[in-house]
Amino acid sequence: MKERHLGRSGLLVSRLGLGTMTWGQDTDPDEAAAQLVAFVEAGGTLVDTADVYTGGVSERILGHLLRETVDRDGLVIATKAAIRPNGRYDGSRRHLLRALDASLDRMDLDHVDLWQLHVYDPATPLEETLSALDEAVASGRTRYVGVSNYAGWQVAKAAAWQRAWPGRAPVVSAQLEYSLLRRDIEREVVPAVLDAGAGLLPWSPLGRGVLTGKYRTGIPAGSRAAAPHFAEFVQPYLDEECARIVESVVTAAEGLGRSPLAVALAWVRDREGVAAPIVGARTAAQLGAILESEDVTLPTEIRGALDDVSDTATGSP
């Protein structure tokens, strides 16, 4: 798997990241191990988790696998904080640093490579939130810092604040939802991220699974849309407008002799500013299909056609 720099930083990451949001719920430890081994064998390095994923179980599973199954030194471990277990946003210095220490404890690590603010907390002054990033880097608990789910002005403000004084930790990444079904970040967030010199880490690059084509004729048993805890997450992308975009992806895939998954993933992977889409799979078999997309590069005419058909996807469908 090829590598890219994360924004203008010196940090190299595989151009596909492994997401672990389902580890400990839909993905049991054995499947998680199989996924991580397959990902590493394919040359993947970026593994993304968060303190709230499955109540911390995701981090615990990852930590066990880093000790027992794969070489931690070859991986870029990323986690997030700023959401309490009850769902409340908390960007206070107190909460963030305690959350980072708890993450390190769950993973049995002395540091992570990338620590990200999971959400923007409007109740806490941004300069206080960012001071926690500086402390985390200065103390050696993380090597780089980033943001997640920030609006364009929030990315710009955070990046500018961090650049204003020497010694502050620069914002090197921004993790946001981005796919052929969700292109609204192109209006303001992408320009802000590019100006900040950060790298984009798209989450849900397959449109919450819809761009694989699995929902074209209904909701398959065992799919996320059929699961009570994920149905509302997928439902917004099952309307007629999204179906039209999915059909265009399927047509392109048929013409190229590739899967719709590979076409949709290659489209977002090679957008300007993207460092690595974060993909999540329930099983190792699903991840295997994702990893097969590595050698897919879309012809200019196909990319242009997909750009045109999806240019109305400027918000949640």
Side-chain angles (χ1 to χ4, degrees):
M1 191 180 300
K2 295 179 181 178
E3 290 185 308
R4 292 170 172 167
H5 281 97
L6 189 55
R8 290 198 293 265
S9 77
L11 181 61
L12 282 170
V13 297
S14 54
R15 66 174 186 171
L16 196 65
L18 178 62
T20 65
M21 186 177 69
T22 64
W23 287 15
Q25 185 173 43
D26 298 320
T27 303
D28 64 33
D30 289 339
E31 277 289 347
Q35 285 187 25
L36 187 57
V37 168
F39 182 68
V40 171
E41 289 180 347
T45 62
L46 176 61
V47 182
D48 181 73
T49 186
D51 61 343
V52 293
Y53 287 172
T54 57
V57 176
S58 171
E59 289 184 330
R60 292 189 186 281
I61 293 174
L62 177 56
H64 175 76
L65 296 178
L66 295 177
R67 292 189 303 273
E68 304 292 337
T69 307
V70 298
D71 180 14
R72 185 266 183 269
D73 290 340
L75 296 177
V76 176
I77 304 300
T79 193
K80 313 179 201 69
I83 304 177
R84 288 182 175 273
N86 63 7
R88 176 190 166 194
Y89 294 177
D90 192 342
S92 69
R93 181 184 175 95
R94 176 179 184 270
H95 170 73
L96 289 173
L97 293 175
R98 291 179 66 178
L100 176 55
D101 288 340
S103 289
L104 294 175
D105 183 65
R106 282 190 288 270
M107 292 186 281
D108 193 22
L109 298 175
D110 60 4
H111 75 278
V112 291
D113 300 289
L114 176 64
W115 188 43
Q116 304 153 98
L117 299 171
H118 206 157
V119 293
Y120 180 85
D121 174 19
T124 301
L126 183 58
E127 54 268 31
E128 177 183 338
T129 296
L130 296 174
S131 74
L133 302 186
D134 297 330
E135 170 64 23
V137 172
S139 64
R141 284 122 100 185
T142 187
R143 302 299 188 246
Y144 297 86
V145 294
V147 298
S148 177
N149 302 310
Y150 271 38
W153 71 268
Q154 293 163 353
V155 172
K157 185 176 180 180
W161 180 270
Q162 294 303 94
R163 287 199 303 260
W165 290 276
R168 289 195 178 276
V171 174
V172 303
S173 67
Q175 191 170 150
L176 300 130
E177 183 174 11
Y178 190 24
S179 73
L180 279 162
L181 301 184
R182 185 68 188 267
R183 294 181 58 187
D184 59 314
I185 69 168
E186 293 175 0
R187 289 196 303 247
E188 295 186 1
V189 185
V190 171
V193 171
L194 293 174
D195 182 71
L200 277 169
L201 300 174
W203 61 263
S204 241
L206 296 175
R208 310 185 184 188
V210 175
L211 287 166
T212 64
K214 69 172 69 175
Y215 300 108
R216 294 171 70 203
T217 59
I219 298 177
S223 66
R224 287 187 175 181
H229 54 287
F230 270 125
E232 291 186 2
F233 180 68
V234 178
Q235 188 60 43
Y237 291 174
L238 298 180
D239 67 3
E240 292 183 5
E241 180 62 28
C242 289
R244 183 178 64 84
I245 296 171
V246 170
E247 290 306 314
S248 296
V249 172
V250 171
T251 299
E254 290 173 347
L256 295 172
R258 306 305 296 246
S259 68
L261 179 157
V263 169
L265 190 55
W267 180 89
V268 71
R269 183 197 66 207
D270 295 331
R271 299 296 285 180
E272 184 180 14
V274 170
I278 306 296
V279 295
R282 184 171 53 85
T283 67
Q286 290 176 347
L287 180 62
I290 292 171
L291 294 174
E292 290 176 1
S293 69
E294 169 64 15
D295 65 345
V296 176
T297 300
L298 299 182
T300 301
E301 59 272 19
I302 296 293
R303 177 170 292 281
L306 293 175
D307 288 351
D308 290 343
V309 77
S310 64
D311 67 2
T312 57
T314 55
S316 294

